[in-house]
Amino acid sequence: MALKIKLLSTVMAAALAVSALAACSSNKDQNASSSSPSASTSASASGTDTASIDPLAKIDDPITVTTVKRTLQNAKYKEGQSAENNSWINFLKDQGVNIQYSWMADASQFENQMNVTIASGDIPDILPQITGSQANTLIKGDQLMDMKPYLDKYLSDEAKSVLYGDGGALMNSTVTSDGKQYLLPLTASEIRADIKGLWIRKDWLDKLHLTVPTTVEEFEKVAEAFTTQDPDGNGKPDTYGFGVSGKDNLILDWGGADGVFEMFHSQPGPWWDNSLFYEKDESGNVIWSGSKPGVKQALTLLQTMYKKGELAKDFGTVDAGGKLAQDLTGGKVGMFMGRWWQALWPLPDLKTKDPKSDWIVVNMPSGDGKPTQPYGYRPGNVYVAVSKNMKNPEAFVKMINWYVEKVFGPNADAQNFASTDQNNYGSWKSSAPFVIEDPFKLSRDYTAVSTALKAKDPSKLNAEQKQHYDDVQKYEQDPSYVVGWTAWQNFSGADGTAGKHYFEDNKESDVLKNAFFSVPNEKMVTTIPMYKKMAEEMISKIIYGQASVDDWDKLVNDWNKLAGNDIMKDLQASAK
């Protein structure tokens, strides 16, 4: 149970780094403000000399800050603790900030409750997790504070190193064309943490004397063998080559078919923030990837694979978190598109049932002999925002500074502020009024642990990294240690493992980045969900053989008439 809760918290942190939207700023504007805040650029926050500011100083006259909270089901607090009384809340009170929650709701109700709050016009001082649609409404209604002057003036050096460690690309992606920053992507991760790879049952490859596929033909050969040659050895035709979640993730996230489109250098899928994938053609013009010829090539392949039984017969009703996960842990699936955290969930359950099972992770094979590239959307799509009516906006920046000090700094206190103790949720990061993630934590941990393992020297590792190191070593001595298998996949650096694929084999420069690297505007937010539904229905019909591959052209025309052409004009104008 302890393991499952710990893994769940890690997966949740990863998932938070991927879900929302908001007001649009052009790439040109991002480049114009791509540097991190400087202590010398104070803007209009106040007349105080920046050099005299102590970014970690307590607030002498205590203030009350209102906010709301997304709760975690089954969270356990120590006796006497609660959401309003725990390590984080009490620490902030000692610093002069009294946190007052206007309401709390779990994940199933949080977004709806936030919509009600926004509609009422009475928003709290801090909005800890808003979607792009909500952000557009708030910005249009002039309800949010421009936090850039306060970040420039009050942000600590440690906080700058965490938030702007990539040179400012993530943080500045939410700076609007007039230089204002209403939205803070504080839970954003580096782009490599969002890409997908092809996960393949290595033990099945070995049993059937197959090699890792690098071409479409080899991919088809492996999928067919995993379907017809009884790779699990039970004498029953109960396995299939490629797992696809057609109910919810068909062209979005793990378990989807979008990796097949990447084989043909195209991407028709949206991302969680309701943005589509745009790229530049050979002439430098911005185009929508879903209109490229490769989409129809991929659809032809998927249709053929379905006819041959290499996809689940009912793939269109398969959900990623349910039926697909069950097929994976039941040993029925040979390949699927996955994220870095699949070794955390659901694959450990398969490893427990079948200790001989194993996986390797690679980029998708090529459809034309040219290397494939993982497609990378803008990482970070839920935002923290501050009400325009907050009386002490500099206190919010100080809360950022204190958070970084307690979680990331040299004086970090993981036991009281970043614990994963299942019986003390009050010491988790999630008990803070808002959460900040180090965008590069995953790759840093991978590099640190894999380097230490090669050198057989863990002396430079922090406590969390040392635990991964120990788990890997224990797994190498005892292959039945499933926790160690997870650590081995993510941190060992062995060829074919998840960590090596996502954070070593793929450099950031290897990822094909979306030409639209900004917050979706209102037009995107309101129309791309309609596109997603249209596209999923059409792709499903084509795969099932109920529609022709050429019907995709009709979908493209319908989308362009609905909004695609208008969105493209906006993007092309902003790219000039």
Side-chain angles (χ1 to χ4, degrees):
M1 182 64 177
L3 168 64
K4 287 188 177 181
I5 291 179
K6 182 176 181 180
L7 297 187
L8 176 60
S9 69
T10 308
V11 172
M12 285 175 55
L16 282 174
V18 252
S19 357
L21 343 134
C24 179
S25 62
S26 70
N27 291 332
K28 178 173 61 178
D29 298 322
Q30 296 164 27
N31 295 333
S33 58
S34 61
S35 59
S36 61
S38 166
S40 64
T41 56
S42 61
S44 59
S46 93
T48 308
D49 182 5
T50 305
S52 66
I53 293 173
D54 180 354
L56 296 174
K58 294 182 178 181
I59 295 175
D60 294 330
D61 296 323
I63 62 172
T64 296
V65 173
T66 59
T67 185
V68 298
K69 188 169 186 61
R70 178 174 173 170
T71 60
L72 180 64
Q73 290 183 344
N74 303 318
K76 296 179 180 179
Y77 293 91
K78 283 186 176 180
E79 185 175 354
Q81 290 189 354
S82 65
E84 299 94 342
N85 175 26
N86 56 62
S87 296
W88 276 106
I89 300 303
N90 295 333
F91 165 73
L92 291 172
K93 185 175 182 180
D94 290 341
Q95 299 300 108
V97 178
N98 297 303
I99 299 298
Q100 178 178 313
Y101 288 114
S102 302
W103 52 263
M104 301 182 191
D106 66 22
S108 65
Q109 298 297 321
F110 185 85
E111 185 174 344
N112 289 336
Q113 185 64 44
M114 183 67 80
N115 286 334
V116 172
T117 296
I118 292 172
S120 74
D122 184 18
I123 64 173
D125 294 325
I126 298 175
L127 296 152
Q129 185 174 322
I130 57 174
T131 67
S133 177
Q134 293 165 341
N136 272 290
T137 299
L138 289 162
I139 293 172
K140 190 174 181 180
D142 192 26
Q143 291 181 276
L144 298 183
M145 177 80 70
D146 172 19
M147 290 304 299
K148 193 172 189 309
Y150 300 96
L151 291 169
D152 288 351
K153 189 160 190 174
Y154 293 98
L155 203 62
S156 69
D157 288 341
E158 281 184 37
K160 291 175 189 175
S161 70
V162 171
L163 299 184
Y164 294 85
D166 63 348
L170 289 177
M171 284 290 287
N172 288 319
S173 69
T174 58
V175 175
T176 57
S177 57
D178 56 359
K180 295 183 178 180
Q181 187 156 27
Y182 300 108
L183 308 172
L184 305 181
L186 300 185
T187 58
S189 60
E190 66 173 302
I191 200 164
R192 289 183 296 177
D194 277 347
I195 65 174
K196 286 153 289 213
L198 178 63
W199 288 67
I200 311 175
R201 282 288 297 263
K202 184 180 184 302
D203 54 316
W204 287 8
L205 284 178
D206 294 342
K207 179 178 179 179
L208 301 178
H209 306 290
L210 297 168
T211 58
V212 175
T214 60
T215 66
V216 172
E217 293 75 20
E218 291 172 352
F219 177 73
E220 290 185 276
K221 180 180 178 181
V222 171
E224 182 176 19
F226 284 175
T227 304
T228 64
Q229 295 184 24
D230 192 25
D232 60 355
N234 68 356
K236 301 177 182 179
D238 57 356
T239 60
Y240 59 99
F242 189 61
V244 173
S245 169
K247 182 179 180 180
D248 48 9
N249 284 12
L250 180 61
I251 50 175
L252 173 70
D253 210 357
W254 85 276
D258 46 346
V260 178
F261 296 99
E262 292 183 11
M263 296 170 69
F264 300 96
H265 314 290
S266 61
Q267 186 54 265
W271 193 230
W272 289 103
D273 62 356
N274 289 330
S275 64
L276 294 178
F277 199 93
Y278 298 90
E279 51 190 291
K280 292 186 177 181
D281 62 17
E282 295 179 353
S283 301
N285 298 315
V286 176
I287 62 171
W288 171 43
S289 190
S291 64
K292 295 176 68 178
V295 174
K296 292 169 66 173
Q297 292 176 280
L299 290 173
T300 299
L301 174 58
L302 286 165
Q303 189 182 70
T304 299
M305 291 176 69
Y306 181 76
K307 288 179 181 177
K308 295 167 62 178
E310 295 161 7
L311 275 61
K313 291 181 179 180
D314 58 346
F315 83 89
T317 62
V318 170
D319 56 323
K323 183 61 164 57
L324 180 57
Q326 292 167 15
D327 282 356
L328 287 168
T329 59
K332 306 301 181 186
V333 183
M335 296 184 288
F336 73 101
M337 294 302 299
R339 303 276 294 284
W340 70 265
W341 45 265
Q342 309 299 164
L344 289 160
W345 180 89
L347 299 183
D349 284 348
L350 172 62
K351 192 69 175 177
T352 300
K353 297 173 185 175
D354 181 4
K356 293 182 180 179
S357 65
D358 204 4
W359 298 82
I360 58 172
V361 190
V362 296
N363 282 337
M364 287 300 292
S366 171
D368 59 2
K370 298 178 182 178
T372 56
Q373 287 182 280
Y375 278 57
Y377 295 84
R378 191 178 64 87
N381 34 29
V382 288
Y383 312 103
V384 182
V386 174
S387 167
K388 186 177 182 179
N389 296 323
M390 185 175 182
K391 295 180 180 179
N392 305 92
E394 70 281 357
F396 171 76
V397 182
K398 286 204 165 190
M399 290 170 69
I400 293 177
N401 298 338
W402 295 328
Y403 186 105
V404 170
E405 182 195 32
K406 291 299 181 185
V407 176
F408 302 113
N411 299 317
D413 182 359
Q415 181 176 352
N416 291 303
F417 298 98
S419 172
T420 55
D421 182 352
Q422 66 196 39
N423 295 309
N424 184 15
Y425 181 70
S427 66
W428 287 25
K429 292 189 297 184
S430 303
S431 286
F434 55 86
V435 174
I436 300 172
E437 298 292 348
D438 178 353
F440 295 92
K441 180 182 185 302
L442 292 170
S443 57
R444 284 186 184 130
D445 285 350
Y446 166 77
T447 300
V449 177
S450 61
T451 300
L453 285 163
K454 290 175 184 176
K456 298 182 180 180
D457 178 12
S459 61
K460 296 181 180 179
L461 302 180
N462 62 33
E464 182 180 1
Q465 293 166 349
K466 179 58 164 55
Q467 184 62 59
H468 298 318
Y469 179 96
D470 291 342
D471 285 340
V472 172
Q473 287 203 317
K474 185 174 179 180
Y475 170 71
E476 290 176 343
Q477 297 297 319
D478 177 12
S480 67
Y481 182 48
V482 176
V483 173
W485 176 80
T486 294
W488 180 80
Q489 273 285 352
N490 287 340
F491 300 104
S492 71
D495 288 342
T497 55
K500 189 172 189 298
H501 172 76
Y502 292 102
F503 302 118
E504 184 175 344
D505 294 342
N506 279 294
K507 306 293 189 293
E508 184 172 342
S509 58
D510 295 327
V511 179
L512 181 61
K513 298 179 181 65
N514 198 337
F516 176 71
F517 204 77
S518 188
V519 180
N521 60 26
E522 187 174 7
K523 191 179 299 179
M524 296 177 180
V525 168
T526 55
T527 60
I528 289 178
M530 290 185 277
Y531 162 78
K532 179 176 181 288
K533 184 177 180 180
M534 293 163 50
E536 287 173 336
E537 290 179 353
M538 179 58 73
I539 291 173
S540 293
K541 287 182 178 180
I542 291 172
I543 296 174
Y544 277 129
Q546 299 169 354
S548 165
V549 170
D550 289 333
D551 285 336
W552 180 254
D553 295 332
K554 181 179 184 302
L555 181 284
V556 171
N557 289 332
D558 289 345
W559 162 241
N560 284 336
K561 290 177 183 178
L562 176 65
N565 285 335
D566 291 336
I567 291 173
M568 183 60 68
K569 289 177 183 177
D570 293 341
L571 297 184
Q572 290 172 339
S574 67
K576 292 180 180 179

